[in-house]
Structure formats: structure tokens, C-alpha cells
Amino acid sequence: IKRILYRLCFSASCDLSETEVKNVFTIRHGWREDTLLMLSARRNPPLKVIDAMLKKCHECIAIVDTALYDWIPVIYAIAYGASHEVIVAMIPDENDCQNLLPLKEFNFLENFDVYNRTPLHWTVFYGASVETVIALRKKTFSEALNKKDDLNKRPFEMAINEGTSMEVVEALLPDGLDFATVEMNIIRSIIHKKVNYDSYLHSSKADVSVIHKNFIDTPISKGPKGGVDEFKDNDVVAWQENEHQAKELQDDEDEFADMKRYDVSSKIIPYLAKQLQKKQHLQDIMVAKSCQTIPIAFLMMDFYSCLLLILSFRSSITYYLTPEFIPTESTPWLIVLASTILYMTFRELCQMYVGGISWFLDLWNLFDVTTIAIVAWCIVKMATSNIDDSFTAITVVAAAMVWFNALAFLRSTFLRFSIFVSGLMTIIQDLVPFLIVSLVLLVGFGEMYNIDSLASGECRNPTNDNGMFFCTFGDSLFSTYALFVGGIEMADLASTTIMKVISIAFGFFVAVILLNVVIAIVSNSWDSVAEEGKEVFWNYRLLFLNDIKNYEEVFSCVDGGDIQCVEGLTGFMDSCLDRICKLLWVRSEYWGNFDSVLDRVISSKYGGLSWQYRYDSKQETNPVKKLFLTTKAALLVIIVGMSACIWFLVGLVTCGILWPKSMRRVIFGNAALVDSTEMENLHNYVVHVADDVKWIRNAKEEEERLLHPFPLIRSRSRVGTIQESATE
């Protein structure tokens, strides 16, 4: 094949006519009936080879292989991982579709092959780059984006199922589909359980007319198994028409989520985590689900297991290592430790089932498994009273891993801890070259100190303490490390001329160069860890909620993440507190938007209690009324504070199950949210507008002061200002 290609395409001495050359390019080879272009496409060819072949015989771009495949050459290039430039060069354009006979009879770019897939489906299946997907989409009509394969999936749905990047999903969206809506429905498909639509219609919460009116503008269509198939994404109008009702369904959206469900691969979760760190509306969906009863209960059980692991491990090890230990007796803490390890094993098995192969690629998961194995080994040793020298060494390692397990829990539960821990991990990775260089310098200086001490005879003088530090290579290396971390004292290391030179060089390299280098590395690494920490947090939170979804499907008493009887009780408590808050509020109506009374009372933002009190007290001139406002605000703080303390204690005892939704949002919802890019830009814009308004107010006051002696001009100026303001 190579000889034919070079002779046909690059040899100037070839005497074949153009027709004969084209005939050679159209010869079929093998059982696939491949042409030379197809054979080349399967071997990742250089672009210049493909350009030369197409220049000699452009018609071969439309030749189809055997009926077993119905593939044109560009599909072979996609399937065998050719470069983006080669694939683009082999895509037929509009003129090819009109002039080349095979494409005129059957457009292989937009119609199905024997697998009921279009080339767009194959770009997803074989993991083509987003640039290739975009280039292929530009060469096809929009109808190809809506074609479904034998698994009833359109190209973008196949991309969701295969776990490709969100950029590929966005590039494959049919016209009229909103990418933001698709993102929300992908997340809902991951974190919400699937409910049966027919059973939901007969439930007390079903109101199909409300859902149809506020969310969907197309008729309901049932899927093949009695569930809801899909509604058109571009017809979701709830966020504009009925914000309050949309907020309620966002908080309790298991039914709404199942109206828009995709078959999502867990491989897409890292790509979603990148989107979550930037977009507030996606974070709101995650927080609403995270603050439901079942996720909070499992978070609290994970917290208690982490706490019990630390306490029971310490108590058990302390008991078995004390001199008063009696081999025939045991401690109750050992039973607690064993129960905690069993719970952690159960959680890891569930995460392994949900995560699949990606679970094994996460080093933190392997670290958790190692922790469980080492602690379990310690439990066996303690249960059999086999306390030997190896037991002490292993318990030291296990103690370190137990505390790192607590650090991992904080990293996956609270966003700011995730940023901090991810920063430490990034700094350690960036310091690897520095640590290697430092190790080489330490070994070198340690050997120099050791040689000088042996040669000077200080090691033969037992009264010389300074020289005895470097008499063996191990002692010399340890002493050099102590000088590295604790600083060098020149007076103590200047017994010989050579030692003075070594100490001067050591101080220069360590104190002047290495320490400044490590400061620069740490500073540079810390500046880039915030986004990575957010991505890690949302990745863990998606995996956690996907894991919780499996538990929810087991229990019939769980309704969309909430336990029905518990939600009724906590909802009643929230409503009682809301009535008290309205009665004692500093004014007759609420300002601003808050998720709950507790958020409104503790917030200092616009509409919060502190802001509202400061604003109304400044406006009020009557001292009696101002005292009345102060009294109501104080009573409200006391009542809400006492209620929050009682709820908090009750929730701690019940693993967060009896926490009202408002308290769950305060504890775990606010822990997950930070200012996103959208909210931060909006905040900066509002501050900028407020500064402009303040400047205009000051300018107006200055104008009034200057024009005070001239009433006629002042009245005209006021009229002009009013007209300008109305126009603005």
C-alpha cells in the first residue's frame, strides 16, 4: 500500500493518466472492500498524504465500503483516531453532496448506517475532540442532531451516556434546546431517584395542570415503561412565569426531575463539577438536594463514624498498650471500633458500586480502603491479645491514617476545607522537585561533615560533643537535617577550616537559596488552588448524592430525599417560627429574598434582621417607637436563638433527621456555597450602580446648595433634572 501511494501521489515519473490513477484509487481491497483512502484513514496518516490522495481522486471521499458497515472514509478516520485536521479534510461538503453520485443517492453524513448511527454518533462513541464534533456538525443539517440510534438516543444524549465533556454535549444540542436546562436535568438525573409517573398521578402532591402550565408547554407523552419520556427543553418557562412555585418544586423536585431524565454516565461527573463551580443555578439544585433529610442523615452518620473512629481507636490502643493490660479482658471501645469499621466498609462498597472503574482511579478512595484494612488488622491483633513489636509500629501508621481520614471528611463535606486541603495537596505535588534537590544537598553535606569529622580526629575524642554528631553517616545525615530545619550555628560548626567552609556553603544554599525558592513555589501554587478545590468538592458532592439516590430507591417511606412523617413535623416547626417572626418583625412586610426565617434573622445582607433594624431605626425619629423596634428585634433574636439551639441539639441526637429544612440549609447549604462568578459579577455591578447613585445624590445636594440664592434657576434646574431622570 505504501509503495502504491508513494508511486501514485509523489512520483513525478508516473506515466498513468488521471483516469487510470482514479481507477487505482477506486480499487477495492479485502473483505471490507476498502479503498486506499479508507486503508490510509485507519492508520492515522499525515495530512499531506490525505491532501495528495484527495487531489488525485476527490471522488473517493464518497465511496462506501461493504454493506456490513455502510461507512464512508471519514467514519474510518473518526473510528481509528485520526487527527482533527485529517478528519476535517475528509468530511464531504455541500458541493460533494450535490455532485458525487453516492452522496446524492444517500447522504451518509446525515443518515443511518447498519448500526442505526450517524457520523455524529460515532464521534461521541470514539471520543473525538470537541473541535472535530463542531466541524462535523457544521457540515451536516440540523435534522441529523435529532436522529436516534438503535438505543433511542440522539447524539447529545449519547454524549451524556458515554460521559464526554460538557463542551461536546453543548456542541451536539439540536436547535431550540437550552444548554442551561440540559445541564440542570443532567444533574437532576444523577441525584434524584426515578419515580413511577402513574403512581405519582394518584399521590396527594400531584397537580399535573400546575406542572403543565408552569413548567411544560407541550402535552405529556408517556415513555415505553409507563414513565415520562421527555418534554421539550426550550418550553421550560417556569423560572420566568412563576418564580415562587418554581422555587418550591426546586426544593422538592423529585417529580419534576423525573420528567427530564437522561441516562447519565458517572464519567461525566468531573465535567459537571467544573460547571458547578461557576454557575449559581446548578449550585442551587445541588444545595436543595443536599439539605433533604436522607442526605443530611448520611452526612451526619459519616461525621459520627469519623468521630467514633478517632475516639474508639485511641481508647482501644491506649488500653492495650498500658502496662496494666490483662490479656483475658477486653474493652467496650473495641466493639465500637469494629462497628465503625463495618459501617465504613459498607459505605466504600456502595461508592465502589456507584463509581465503577473511576472509583479505583481516585487516590482518596484507595487511601480509605488502606485505612480500613490497617485498622481492621489492629482490631484482630487486639482481639487476640497478640501485642508484639510490629503492633506498635502499625498502630502509629494507623493513627496517622485515622486523622487523615478526618481531614478527607472535611474536604468532601465543606467547600472551604476542600479548597484548603486541595491547596496543601497541590503544594506537595509542586514541591516534589524541590524535595528531591533538597535531599541530594542534605546527603552531600552530611557526607562532607562526616568525612571532615573522621579526618580531624574529633570522633576519637569522646568529650567533644560537636564532632560526635557526624561520626557515622546516619548520625551525620540526621544532624544535617536538624541544621536544615532549625538553622545553623556557625560557632558550633567551625572546629576546623574545612568545616567552616562547609558550614558557609551550607548556610548559603539552605538559608539564602532553598528557603526563598520554597516560599516562591508555595505562593505560586496557592494562587491557583481555589478553582481546583471547588471542583474537588462538587465532584465528591455529586458522587455522594448519586450514592444516596440508590438508598432512597430502597425505602418506600422516602419521598424525594425526605422522610414524609419527619418533614411534616419539621415543616410545622418552621411555620410556627415564621408566624412568630412576622409578628415580631421590625416592620409590617419583608424586604429581600431568603430561603427561611433563620436565614433572614442571622443574615446581615439587604432584608436581614440587622440590616432592617439599622435602616428603620435611622428612619424613626420617635424615641418610643425606636425603643419598641429595639425590643421586638431583641425578642426575635432571643426566640430564634433559643429555638435554633434546641433544634440543633435534637438534630445531633437524631443524625440531623429532626432538623428543620431551614437549619439544614444554614449548616450544610451555606457550607457548600461561595460566591460564584455570576453572583460575584452581579454583586460588583450592583455596588458600581450604588456608587453612581450615591455620586448623583451628592451632586444634586451640591447643586441645591449652590442654587439656593436663585429660586428661579433652581426651579428650572429641578424641572430639567426631573425630565432627564425620567428619560434615564
Side-chain angles (χ1 to χ4, degrees):
I1 294 172
K2 288 182 180 179
R3 284 197 300 270
I4 293 175
L5 286 176
Y6 279 110
R7 287 176 181 175
L8 289 176
C9 302
F10 301 108
S11 176
S13 60
C14 184
D15 297 329
L16 296 178
S17 65
E18 292 186 4
T19 303
E20 291 172 327
V21 170
K22 290 181 180 180
N23 290 336
V24 172
F25 274 108
T26 57
I27 294 174
R28 304 298 187 117
H29 302 268
W31 66 271
R32 288 177 182 258
E33 300 182 10
D34 294 327
T35 63
L36 291 179
L37 184 62
M38 294 178 184
L39 292 169
S40 302
R42 293 214 301 268
R43 284 158 177 81
N44 195 12
L47 178 61
K48 61 181 181 181
V49 172
I50 299 299
D51 286 339
M53 296 178 70
L54 293 178
K55 185 177 180 180
K56 292 291 183 179
C57 181
H58 189 75
E59 291 82 353
C60 64
I61 201 173
I63 296 178
V64 187
D65 65 354
T66 176
L68 294 176
Y69 288 92
D70 279 346
W71 282 10
I72 55 178
V74 67
I75 302 182
Y76 278 105
I78 294 171
Y80 286 87
S83 65
H84 167 67
E85 293 78 12
V86 169
I87 295 175
V88 171
M90 298 175 68
I91 299 176
D93 56 19
E94 187 176 356
N95 293 329
D96 296 329
C97 295
Q98 294 176 356
N99 300 324
L100 299 180
L101 182 60
L103 295 178
K104 287 175 63 177
E105 295 178 350
F106 189 83
N107 192 336
F108 290 91
L109 283 180
E110 299 178 0
N111 292 307
F112 297 119
D113 56 13
V114 295
Y115 297 101
N116 288 331
R117 289 178 177 176
T118 65
L120 287 174
H121 286 96
W122 290 118
T123 58
V124 174
F125 184 82
Y126 288 109
S129 65
V130 62
E131 293 82 7
T132 302
V133 174
I134 294 174
L136 185 59
R137 176 180 175 171
K138 290 180 179 178
K139 297 291 184 66
T140 58
F141 294 105
S142 58
E143 290 80 4
L145 299 171
N146 283 309
K147 291 185 178 293
K148 297 184 177 181
D149 63 0
D150 52 349
L151 298 178
N152 202 33
K153 296 184 186 301
R154 290 174 285 181
F156 87 95
E157 294 170 333
M158 186 177 183
I160 296 172
N161 179 248
E162 292 291 331
T164 56
S165 67
M166 295 304 295
E167 289 81 6
V168 172
V169 175
E170 184 176 11
L172 292 172
L173 284 183
D175 297 335
L177 287 186
D178 180 39
F179 180 61
T181 306
V182 173
E183 279 185 319
M184 291 191 292
N185 292 323
I186 292 174
I187 291 180
R188 292 190 182 106
S189 301
I190 292 175
I191 65 178
H192 286 278
K193 70 174 184 178
K194 188 173 182 61
V195 296
N196 186 275
Y197 180 70
D198 295 329
S199 62
Y200 169 68
L201 288 178
H202 298 89
S203 66
S204 60
K205 298 176 68 175
D207 190 347
V208 180
S209 61
V210 171
I211 297 174
H212 173 72
K213 176 182 178 182
N214 293 310
F215 292 92
I216 307 301
D217 200 23
T218 55
I220 298 174
S221 61
K222 290 191 176 183
K225 295 184 179 180
V228 173
D229 181 15
E230 184 180 357
F231 295 89
K232 292 184 178 180
D233 299 81
N234 58 323
D235 294 324
V236 179
V237 294
W239 312 112
Q240 293 82 15
E241 292 185 2
N242 194 330
E243 182 179 356
H244 176 69
Q245 204 158 27
K247 182 65 176 176
E248 289 182 352
L249 278 179
Q250 178 178 311
D251 291 342
D252 188 14
E253 57 181 349
D254 54 311
E255 297 87 6
F256 177 53
D258 283 282
M259 295 180 184
K260 308 279 307 161
R261 181 170 291 274
Y262 298 117
D263 187 8
V264 183
S265 169
S266 60
K267 294 185 291 185
I268 205 173
I269 288 180
Y271 300 108
L272 287 174
K274 294 180 180 179
Q275 303 295 323
L276 274 164
Q277 63 177 320
K278 304 174 184 177
K279 300 183 179 181
Q280 184 71 34
H281 64 281
L282 300 181
Q283 294 181 12
D284 291 337
I285 295 175
M286 292 290 294
V287 171
K289 179 63 180 180
S290 300
C291 294
Q292 291 180 345
T293 307
I294 298 301
I296 293 296
F298 273 94
L299 276 176
M300 291 301 298
M301 285 191 288
D302 289 345
F303 166 72
Y304 285 139
S305 68
C306 181
L307 185 62
L308 288 175
L309 179 64
I310 294 173
L311 295 177
S312 59
F313 182 79
R314 173 178 173 78
S315 300
S316 301
I317 294 299
T318 304
Y319 174 80
Y320 281 95
L321 291 179
T322 54
E324 295 81 11
F325 163 64
I326 302 175
T328 57
E329 297 182 0
S330 181
T331 174
W333 282 109
L334 189 60
I335 301 176
V336 176
L337 181 60
S339 303
T340 304
I341 290 299
L342 287 176
Y343 172 78
M344 293 177 62
T345 305
F346 168 73
R347 294 284 287 123
E348 289 298 325
L349 290 175
C350 294
Q351 293 175 13
M352 186 188 306
Y353 173 77
V354 172
I357 192 64
S358 60
W359 182 89
F360 295 92
L361 303 179
D362 192 335
L363 293 179
W364 284 96
N365 292 331
L366 301 180
F367 172 81
D368 292 338
V369 172
T370 306
T371 303
I372 292 173
I374 292 178
V375 175
W377 184 87
C378 293
I379 292 174
V380 173
K381 284 282 189 179
M382 289 184 286
T384 57
S385 300
N386 186 12
I387 310 300
D388 51 12
D389 295 336
S390 62
F391 176 77
T392 305
I394 292 296
T395 51
V396 172
V397 176
M401 302 190 76
V402 164
W403 282 101
F404 274 110
N405 178 73
L407 197 63
F409 171 78
L410 293 175
R411 182 196 189 202
S412 60
T413 307
F414 299 98
L415 181 56
R416 300 191 185 278
F417 280 102
S418 178
I419 295 174
F420 182 77
V421 176
S422 298
L424 292 180
M425 300 297 295
T426 302
I427 289 172
I428 292 174
Q429 293 174 4
D430 293 342
L431 284 176
V432 169
F434 168 82
L435 295 176
I436 295 175
V437 172
S438 300
L439 177 62
V440 172
L441 290 176
L442 288 177
V443 173
F445 278 104
E447 187 170 1
M448 285 189 285
Y449 277 123
N450 177 240
I451 293 173
D452 181 72
S453 297
L454 293 174
S456 62
E458 293 183 353
C459 294
R460 294 190 294 270
N461 184 6
T463 60
N464 191 344
D465 295 333
N466 292 335
M468 294 301 292
F469 289 122
F470 306 103
C471 290
T472 64
F473 179 75
D475 292 339
S476 179
L477 187 61
F478 184 79
S479 301
T480 307
Y481 176 75
L483 296 175
F484 179 80
V485 298
I488 183 171
E489 293 291 340
M490 292 294 184
D492 297 336
L493 299 173
S495 57
T496 64
T497 304
I498 296 179
M499 185 169 286
K500 288 181 182 180
V501 175
I502 296 173
S503 300
I504 292 173
F506 182 81
F508 173 76
F509 279 105
V510 172
V512 178
I513 296 180
L514 290 182
L515 292 183
N516 287 282
V517 169
V518 73
I519 292 173
I521 293 175
V522 171
S523 300
N524 183 61
S525 300
W526 190 259
D527 292 338
S528 60
V529 299
E531 297 302 320
E532 182 181 350
K534 296 176 186 177
E535 182 181 338
V536 169
F537 170 80
W538 289 116
N539 186 72
Y540 275 107
R541 183 55 57 92
L542 278 169
L543 290 173
F544 170 75
L545 293 178
N546 191 21
D547 188 20
I548 296 301
K549 179 182 68 175
N550 298 325
Y551 302 140
E552 293 175 359
E553 293 174 350
V554 175
F555 303 103
S556 59
C557 62
V558 176
D559 183 18
D562 289 324
I563 301 177
Q564 300 172 12
C565 58
V566 174
E567 282 302 299
L569 176 62
T570 56
F572 173 74
M573 296 161 64
D574 270 335
S575 62
C576 292
L577 187 61
D578 186 47
R579 294 190 184 96
I580 296 174
C581 183
K582 287 182 178 179
L583 182 64
L584 296 177
W585 197 247
V586 292
R587 61 188 304 115
S588 58
E589 72 277 354
Y590 287 148
W591 288 5
N593 296 316
F594 291 90
D595 293 328
S596 64
V597 173
L598 192 59
D599 286 332
R600 185 178 293 276
V601 171
I602 66 177
S603 177
S604 59
K605 298 180 181 178
Y606 168 77
L609 178 61
S610 60
W611 185 94
Q612 194 74 62
Y613 172 74
R614 290 195 304 269
Y615 177 82
D616 287 346
S617 60
K618 288 179 181 178
Q619 301 295 325
E620 187 60 61
T621 57
N622 190 333
V624 177
K625 291 184 178 180
K626 185 178 291 188
L627 179 62
F628 182 64
L629 288 177
T630 304
T631 304
K632 289 204 301 182
L635 285 174
L636 186 59
V637 171
I638 293 173
I639 293 174
V640 173
M642 293 179 61
S643 302
C645 291
I646 295 173
W647 284 345
F648 182 74
L649 295 175
V650 172
L652 285 180
V653 176
T654 59
C655 291
I657 293 177
L658 292 183
W659 273 337
K661 188 172 291 185
S662 58
M663 178 156 288
R664 293 183 229 139
R665 283 185 174 273
V666 170
I667 297 175
F668 291 98
N670 294 338
L673 286 175
V674 294
D675 291 335
S676 64
T677 304
E678 299 175 20
M679 296 302 294
E680 186 175 355
N681 294 337
L682 180 61
H683 173 74
N684 295 334
Y685 176 74
V686 171
V687 171
H688 177 70
V689 172
D691 292 339
D692 291 343
V693 172
K694 185 177 180 180
W695 180 86
I696 293 172
R697 185 186 298 116
N698 294 336
K700 179 63 179 172
E701 292 176 355
E702 182 67 15
E703 180 188 24
E704 292 284 348
R705 186 183 64 80
L706 294 175
L707 297 179
H708 182 72
F710 311 99
L712 182 59
I713 299 177
R714 189 171 72 251
S715 63
R716 290 179 179 175
S717 176
R718 182 178 300 130
V719 172
T721 304
I722 292 174
Q723 291 175 348
E724 292 174 1
S725 300
T727 304
E728 183 68 23

